Amino acid sequence: TYYKEAQIILQKLYHSYPDNLYFSLALAEILIKSNQSETAIAMLKDLFRLNPGNDSITMAYAKALFTNNQVKKALDIIYEHLPNVEKEPSIYELMAEVQAKDGLYKEVHESTGLFLYYSGDLQGALTQFKMAMNGRSSDPYFNARLLARIRNVQKEILDTR
């Protein structure tokens, strides 16, 4: 019932102030929690199209797609947006969740490692990168990237001692 009350209030605010992204994003979140994800996704898709590169909209749109089991679309949005927010931990946290649902377990460890790294947990990041290496990929670029990440984190750990 709280969601319904919040939805009524936010819909009024949304219609009164259609350019206010806070009201739009809050309404989308309430719609998702009220099992109206299709409506939320349509709304977020329009916002995403009108505001390319907006971190909050992109993350909300990817989360909504993920919640609605549109995993491939969610990953595409995240991968496309990643260069804009490369050092933002929350994108890697969401990416790991979505990758896990898609069965990309080596990638989950890499994303979790990046989440931990950008959150300041170097030892945790190193552990995750090593776990990703244990499940070696046939992709030489992936392996080389992981090895470079491991070496960089090990160097940073040594430099902080």
Side-chain angles (χ1 to χ4, degrees):
T1 62
Y2 293 118
Y3 291 135
K4 193 65 176 167
E5 291 174 30
Q7 182 179 343
I8 292 167
I9 293 167
L10 283 167
Q11 281 177 326
K12 288 179 185 175
L13 290 169
Y14 173 73
H15 291 295
S16 297
Y17 305 98
D19 293 334
N20 187 310
L21 293 180
Y22 295 110
F23 296 148
S24 302
L25 292 172
L27 178 57
E29 188 172 331
I30 292 297
L31 289 169
I32 290 166
K33 290 181 179 182
S34 301
N35 294 318
Q36 298 176 55
S37 58
E38 288 297 330
T39 304
I41 288 171
M43 190 174 124
L44 289 166
K45 184 177 184 178
D46 287 342
L47 285 172
F48 181 72
R49 186 178 46 79
L50 294 170
N51 300 279
N54 181 297
D55 298 347
S56 299
I57 293 169
T58 302
M59 291 289 287
Y61 184 38
K63 281 182 187 177
L65 290 167
F66 173 63
T67 301
N68 200 42
N69 291 318
Q70 296 180 39
V71 177
K72 297 280 189 213
K73 278 187 183 178
L75 274 176
D76 288 345
I77 297 294
I78 292 168
Y79 291 150
E80 182 180 308
H81 189 64
L82 194 57
N84 301 331
V85 289
E86 189 177 342
K87 295 182 179 181
E88 176 57 44
S90 60
I91 190 95
Y92 296 105
E93 183 177 36
L94 177 60
M95 188 163 54
E97 277 185 77
V98 178
Q99 288 168 329
K101 191 159 190 168
D102 202 32
L104 303 170
Y105 300 113
K106 293 182 298 286
E107 291 82 353
V108 169
H109 288 298
E110 181 183 29
S111 297
T112 302
L114 288 165
F115 167 74
L116 292 168
Y117 178 81
Y118 289 119
S119 297
D121 182 355
L122 297 179
Q123 198 60 52
L126 182 60
T127 299
Q128 288 296 319
F129 294 149
K130 285 181 177 179
M131 289 173 73
M133 278 298 284
N134 286 341
R136 283 197 177 257
S137 170
S138 59
D139 177 1
Y141 175 73
F142 181 82
N143 293 332
R145 185 176 67 231
L146 273 175
L147 195 55
R149 290 191 198 288
I150 289 168
R151 288 181 180 145
N152 287 340
V153 173
Q154 286 173 329
K155 184 181 180 322
E156 280 189 56
I157 290 170
L158 288 174
D159 291 346
T160 58
R161 288 187 182 164

